[in-house]
Amino acid sequence: MSNRKTGYKTSNRNSNVYSAFRQKISFVLLFVFFTANIMAAIIIWQQTYNAKKELMQQSLKQAQMQTDIIYSRINNLGLSILRQQDIASWLYTKEIDASNETSIIRVLETYNAANDDLASSIGVYNSYLEKYLTSRGIMPLTTAGSPVGNEQFSIRPRELSSEYYAQTPSIYNSIRFLSFYTRIDTNPQRTNQGFTVINIEDDIWQSSVNNQVANSQYYLINSEGIVLSSSDDQRYITDLSYDQDFSPLFEAITKERLSGIKQPESLSVEISGHRNLLVWLLSENTGMISIATLPLNIIIQESAIAAIPWFIAFAILASILFILNLRIIRIYSEPLRKMVKYLSPELLSAVSTPSNSNIALEFSLIQSALLEGEKQGQIAAEKHLLDLLYGRTTVDDIEMNHVTAEIRQAPWILIVCRFDNYIHMKNNLENDIKSHRFMIINVTQELVSTNFICRSVLTSENEIAFILSPREQESLFNTQQLDIDDNIRDLLHRAQISLRQYFGFSISYTWSSLITSFDSIPEHFTYCRRNFACRFQLGQSQLISKGYASSFQKKVRYPAIAERHILEAVNLKQTENLNRGLQDFISMVCDGFTPRTEDYIVQLLASVFKAVDHTVELKDSEYEMYVDTTRSVSYYDNRQDLLEMLSVFCTKLMNLSSEKAKDMLLQKHEQLIADLRIYLSENLSDQSLSLESTADYFQMSSGYLGRLFKNGTGDNFSHYLINLRLNEAAKLLVETPLPAKEICERIGMNNVTYFSTLFKKHMGLSPIKYREKITNENHAST
């Protein structure tokens, strides 16, 4: 410590001996540096402010367009309902007619079903009868409230309790609505005699603000300043929150002030003690005002980030910043050097002392390292569970592994979950699959955690396995298997409902009976996975226990005849017969539930691949396609998708086989043509050489050989043979002193006169003159 103090003193002494010249230079550099940065900050601030305002204005225009569309749909819907003769008559009646009320409710249900993307509920109110009929039945008027004002069409924000939807309980304490009222009579004295009520959940307006600027808030208000919709949960006026103070935000935003303004405007207001950029837009069609607010500190932060390059550029020019940068580097590297030192008992007490905030900050580095270790531990746990399910671990391993200590004791129950319609989900919602898996694990574990200790692991792209260990083992042993199945079925059914209702996708579950032997876990896991073949008969979103699957199991043999037809079609390149064979195969395999359904599909894939590979040698890429297709069999849960997959696979291999067979045949023909050329050249002296003798030599018909030769060379056989002989004769005339008669014999011709005539016709000169000409030309060139 004394050395450190000595160092500090030395540094202070050095700083005090700067010359006056250096102090002036430092002052000038600092002044120029700060002045330049202030000017740059002002310019960047103005640019960022204007850019944010322009983006918010564009966002409001899009939001207002969407709002006007929704508003118009609701207005038209209300007027359309009032045009219904039965409803209009009922709104004026003073006598109760139960049958008429039932008919009206059915009409409202029809309207509600036709507009399920818009209206949460639709109702009509008769003030004479004081009855409120809705698409959800007869309800008290207090659930929707009374209209406000005397206009024929008005809006009122509501916040309804969850009891309003007793048939579909909500996880929230209340549900926010906008209630739209359309009166049957425009007479101000009779406006509340009868009216329609259309309840719209607040979520319907969220599509209007999908393009809003990050960190901004969006509000939709009426001319009185009442908040009709808000992206800020804390600022929303409804019947239950009307007494909240909204004046800091909306005191200056009134219809009188905005009268005549048709273009987006902006101003700066103070909201909850902070300044905000406020942009608004008044709708000519609805009279409603769209507002967007953005804290000015967000703009300041972005401006500061944009100014950093300027700051760095100016800092390079100032030598003083070089020293400051060295000090900053030293300050930030100090905690790393102290980490080993702080890993001691004294560190814990130092961190807990409020005055040691610097030490606590440095200690966060150690916490980060521990978190990384926790992540690695989680990966190790998942690997251990996978080894457990696939039988790659032993009893000693699980006893020694602390990760699975909680589920070490028998009995166990194994639950396996798969996505429904996974192929379409993978093609259209691939980015959401990871979050969907997370939701499945969380929801399932939350529901079973009361009675079981649960651990989960991802066993394939579309499959998650859960290993359950009961918290009270004795009670589970004394419970009948049927009761256990009912209990688990109830829990998993609730999980299915929650996932489908709140996240929009469905899943199927299957589970095992009680597992008392560690070594039998892989067997139960395999059996559970096979149970998913039930969905080919039962459809999606299933809950399949072992007993339920066994109750309708059917002995389905492997469709060997259909396989033979498929292989014949692939071999003969017959697409129609291939599709017919595949349809027969799928129909037979899925005719009843058998645990071997997936095995049958995989066997067919292997048979087709093997048959094609035997015909033509396939490449590694085709083998990889086969492996990927085999692995994807478990992704399918309906016959049509499975049939399409098989059709694509077999058609690809059939086309590959056809293309490669053509290539092989072409190569064979090219080699045969080359052999023919050599044969003819070597046997020119044979006077009996002809198409027939050549065909006999190559063991094929003369007609086939002639067509093959014509296609391969572009010339017929006899013409090619004559040209070959005459070209050889010309070569002998030039290179040898042989007489024409001997040359005639060497090229397989026995008539010298015919040879001379044919040679002259081919070369334009008789053999003797041709020799003389070529000889003279050679002498002249030398």
Side-chain angles (χ1 to χ4, degrees):
M1 182 64 70
S2 60
N3 291 336
R4 183 178 296 181
K5 291 182 177 179
T6 302
Y8 288 157
K9 292 179 180 179
T10 303
S11 177
N12 290 334
R13 286 197 300 270
N14 291 336
S15 63
N16 292 331
V17 296
Y18 284 139
S19 64
F21 178 76
R22 289 185 177 181
Q23 290 179 358
K24 290 180 180 180
I25 293 296
S26 298
F27 177 78
V28 172
L29 288 173
L30 287 172
F31 177 79
V32 172
F33 171 73
F34 285 112
T35 302
N37 276 284
I38 290 172
M39 294 178 62
I42 293 173
I43 295 173
I44 293 174
W45 155 261
Q46 192 64 39
Q47 292 177 345
T48 306
Y49 183 91
N50 293 334
K52 288 293 183 183
K53 183 171 71 173
E54 183 177 353
L55 287 176
M56 293 169 68
Q57 289 172 348
Q58 294 176 358
S59 175
L60 281 186
K61 289 180 181 179
Q62 297 176 1
Q64 186 192 77
M65 182 183 300
Q66 181 70 15
T67 300
D68 288 352
I69 292 173
I70 297 174
Y71 187 93
S72 175
R73 286 186 61 190
I74 297 168
N75 194 0
N76 294 335
L77 178 60
L79 294 174
S80 176
I81 294 172
L82 288 180
R83 294 191 192 103
Q84 290 285 332
Q85 184 63 39
D86 293 344
I87 294 177
S89 301
W90 183 81
L91 290 176
Y92 280 106
T93 188
K94 298 181 180 180
E95 298 180 358
I96 298 177
D97 186 349
S99 62
N100 192 26
E101 291 177 356
T102 302
S103 175
I104 291 173
I105 291 174
R106 290 177 179 172
V107 172
L108 296 178
E109 290 176 350
T110 303
Y111 273 103
N112 196 24
N115 297 273
D116 59 351
D117 63 322
L118 182 70
S120 294
S121 66
I122 302 175
V124 292
Y125 178 71
N126 184 322
S127 62
Y128 296 123
L129 303 177
E130 295 185 352
K131 273 205 170 184
Y132 179 41
L133 307 182
T134 77
S135 57
R136 300 178 181 275
I138 301 176
M139 293 187 178
L141 183 62
T142 55
T143 60
S146 302
V148 292
N150 293 321
E151 298 178 357
Q152 185 181 10
F153 187 65
S154 62
I155 316 173
R156 184 176 184 180
R158 302 285 299 166
E159 192 166 10
L160 307 181
S161 62
S162 59
E163 287 76 10
Y164 179 63
Y165 291 119
Q167 50 275 60
T168 55
S170 174
I171 62 173
Y172 305 103
N173 294 329
S174 61
I175 304 174
R176 273 203 297 255
F177 285 88
L178 283 184
S179 296
F180 294 81
Y181 306 91
T182 308
R183 296 171 176 82
I184 194 171
D185 200 327
T186 58
N187 187 338
Q189 297 180 355
R190 302 176 62 188
T191 52
N192 283 349
Q193 172 189 337
F195 51 85
T196 65
V197 184
I198 302 175
N199 287 320
I200 307 298
E201 288 190 42
D202 185 47
D203 291 344
I204 194 73
W205 305 97
Q206 294 306 313
S207 60
S208 303
V209 293
N210 286 338
N211 298 320
Q212 66 175 329
V213 179
N215 300 309
S216 66
Q217 299 293 344
Y218 171 84
Y219 307 91
L220 180 66
I221 68 174
N222 60 13
S223 58
E224 289 77 26
I226 302 299
V227 184
L228 303 178
S229 182
S230 168
S231 60
D232 186 354
D233 292 337
Q234 304 302 319
R235 293 187 176 277
Y236 191 100
I237 293 182
T238 67
D239 287 353
L240 302 184
S241 59
Y242 193 83
D243 57 344
Q244 295 186 19
D245 182 15
F246 285 82
S247 58
L249 179 60
F250 302 114
E251 61 182 2
I253 309 301
T254 62
K255 192 168 186 178
E256 289 73 18
R257 176 167 180 176
L258 301 179
S259 177
I261 298 178
K262 297 182 180 180
Q263 298 297 325
E265 294 292 334
S266 65
L267 52 83
S268 177
V269 297
E270 184 173 327
I271 304 174
S272 302
H274 301 284
R275 300 298 297 179
N276 280 255
L277 169 63
L278 186 145
V279 179
W280 76 82
L281 184 63
L282 175 64
S283 173
E284 297 180 4
N285 299 327
T286 65
M288 296 187 292
I289 305 167
S290 300
I291 298 176
T293 65
L294 180 67
L296 289 182
N297 62 346
I298 300 295
I299 303 178
I300 294 173
Q301 292 174 7
E302 294 190 9
S303 300
I305 294 173
I308 289 177
W310 293 96
F311 179 84
I312 295 175
F314 296 138
I316 295 175
L317 301 177
S319 60
I320 187 75
L321 282 180
F322 178 74
I323 301 174
L324 293 178
N325 285 334
L326 289 179
R327 297 200 56 169
I328 291 173
I329 293 172
R330 185 170 64 252
I331 291 172
Y332 277 95
S333 62
E334 188 68 21
L336 294 173
R337 295 199 300 268
K338 293 180 179 179
M339 180 181 289
V340 177
K341 170 186 172 183
Y342 286 156
L343 286 174
S344 62
E346 290 78 8
L347 173 63
L348 299 178
S349 59
V351 172
S352 61
T353 305
S355 60
N356 293 331
S357 59
N358 291 333
I359 297 177
L361 182 62
E362 295 169 7
F363 186 64
S364 65
L365 292 172
I366 302 173
Q367 290 178 313
S368 299
L370 293 176
L371 287 175
E372 182 64 24
E374 180 69 18
K375 179 180 179 181
Q376 297 299 327
Q378 181 180 358
I379 294 174
E382 292 182 353
K383 180 181 182 302
H384 185 76
L385 290 177
L386 278 174
D387 290 342
L388 174 63
L389 292 174
Y390 288 101
R392 296 192 293 258
T393 186
T394 64
V395 177
D396 293 337
D397 292 334
I398 195 170
E399 291 294 336
M400 294 171 60
N401 193 293
H402 69 280
V403 175
T404 52
E406 293 179 343
I407 61 169
R408 185 184 305 167
Q409 300 297 325
W412 302 284
I413 295 176
L414 182 63
I415 297 176
V416 184
C417 166
R418 283 188 184 174
F419 286 100
D420 290 335
N421 211 10
Y422 181 74
I423 292 297
H424 296 283
M425 182 181 294
K426 185 177 178 65
N427 293 335
N428 303 317
L429 303 171
E430 186 173 4
N431 294 333
D432 298 331
I433 291 176
K434 185 175 181 181
S435 62
H436 288 348
R437 294 194 193 108
F438 179 77
M439 296 302 175
I440 292 174
I441 293 173
N442 277 7
V443 171
T444 305
Q445 288 186 338
E446 180 68 23
L447 289 173
V448 303
S449 61
T450 303
N451 301 320
F452 300 94
I453 299 170
C454 180
R455 290 293 178 268
S456 63
V457 62
L458 182 68
T459 50
S460 71
E461 281 188 41
N462 70 322
E463 184 181 85
I464 302 168
F466 301 86
I467 300 180
L468 275 58
S469 180
R471 297 186 182 275
E472 299 179 4
Q473 298 180 10
E474 296 298 329
S475 61
L476 189 64
F477 271 122
N478 296 329
T479 305
Q480 295 294 327
Q481 181 66 48
L482 185 60
D483 296 332
I484 296 174
D485 288 343
D486 289 341
N487 183 25
I488 294 179
R489 181 180 289 105
D490 179 62
L491 294 174
L492 299 183
H493 180 61
R494 290 165 57 190
Q496 284 181 324
I497 293 177
S498 298
L499 293 170
R500 185 166 50 247
Q501 180 177 0
Y502 299 114
F503 305 108
F505 65 91
S506 62
I507 57 176
S508 294
Y509 286 103
T510 180
W511 64 94
S512 68
S513 55
L514 282 181
I515 306 173
T516 57
S517 170
F518 173 81
D519 295 332
S520 63
I521 289 180
E523 178 184 349
H524 281 81
F525 176 57
T526 301
Y527 189 85
C528 284
R529 301 178 89 184
R530 291 175 179 272
N531 285 344
F532 282 113
C534 289
R535 294 193 289 177
F536 289 110
Q537 285 75 40
L538 304 179
Q540 300 174 347
S541 191
Q542 290 298 317
L543 297 171
I544 310 167
S545 66
K546 179 179 180 181
Y548 183 58
S550 300
S551 64
F552 63 94
Q553 184 171 338
K554 181 179 179 181
K555 187 175 182 180
V556 178
R557 296 183 179 276
Y558 182 77
I561 297 177
E563 180 198 79
R564 186 162 62 249
H565 292 163
I566 293 171
L567 296 179
E568 290 176 356
V570 170
N571 185 45
L572 298 175
K573 317 300 184 295
Q574 297 173 340
T575 303
E576 293 185 2
N577 291 340
L578 172 63
N579 293 331
R580 191 180 302 112
L582 290 174
Q583 290 176 356
D584 294 341
F585 187 91
I586 293 299
S587 177
M588 294 177 188
V589 168
C590 299
D591 181 55
F593 164 62
T594 172
R596 298 190 59 83
T597 298
E598 291 186 8
D599 296 338
Y600 290 166
I601 303 299
V602 172
Q603 182 176 341
L604 175 63
L605 294 173
S607 298
V608 174
F609 183 84
K610 184 177 180 181
V612 175
D613 189 46
H614 181 73
T615 305
V616 294
E617 185 176 354
L618 296 175
K619 298 180 180 179
D620 291 344
S621 58
E622 281 88 32
Y623 178 74
E624 291 174 1
M625 178 191 72
Y626 159 70
V627 173
D628 292 340
T629 306
T630 302
R631 290 174 178 172
S632 70
V633 171
S634 62
Y635 298 165
Y636 297 88
D637 51 24
N638 65 78
R639 301 185 183 190
Q640 186 58 37
D641 289 344
L642 191 60
L643 180 61
E644 290 179 4
M645 179 272 289
L646 290 174
S647 178
V648 169
F649 176 81
C650 294
T651 302
K652 282 184 177 180
L653 288 183
M654 184 175 68
N655 293 337
L656 281 172
S657 174
S658 178
E659 292 173 2
K660 293 190 176 185
K662 289 180 180 178
D663 292 340
M664 292 174 62
L665 183 61
L666 180 61
Q667 293 177 3
K668 182 179 178 180
H669 286 175
E670 290 176 351
Q671 183 61 44
L672 180 59
I673 295 298
D675 294 342
L676 278 170
R677 291 179 186 272
I678 295 173
Y679 175 79
L680 294 177
S681 297
E682 293 177 349
N683 294 274
L684 275 180
S685 60
D686 185 1
Q687 297 181 5
S688 64
L689 185 63
S690 64
L691 176 63
E692 288 75 11
S693 65
T694 304
D696 291 339
Y697 178 80
F698 284 95
Q699 297 181 354
M700 60 182 65
S701 68
S702 58
Y704 177 74
L705 180 60
R707 290 191 298 272
L708 182 62
F709 194 89
K710 175 72 173 179
N711 294 333
T713 63
D715 200 356
N716 59 51
F717 183 87
S718 59
H719 190 265
Y720 176 86
L721 182 58
I722 290 174
N723 288 338
L724 185 64
R725 282 172 165 167
L726 293 177
N727 289 334
E728 180 66 20
K731 180 180 177 182
L732 293 173
L733 286 170
V734 174
E735 297 178 354
T736 68
L738 295 175
K741 181 179 179 182
E742 189 172 345
I743 291 175
C744 179
E745 293 176 353
R746 287 198 177 190
I747 64 172
M749 301 181 72
N750 56 7
N751 190 324
V752 177
T753 303
Y754 175 70
F755 163 66
S756 298
T757 303
L758 198 61
F759 188 89
K760 184 177 181 180
K761 181 178 179 181
H762 181 71
M763 298 295 185
L765 296 171
S766 65
I768 296 175
K769 291 184 178 182
Y770 178 80
R771 173 181 282 175
E772 293 176 353
K773 177 184 177 184
I774 299 301
T775 303
N776 294 333
E777 290 178 354
N778 290 340
H779 287 196
S781 61
T782 57

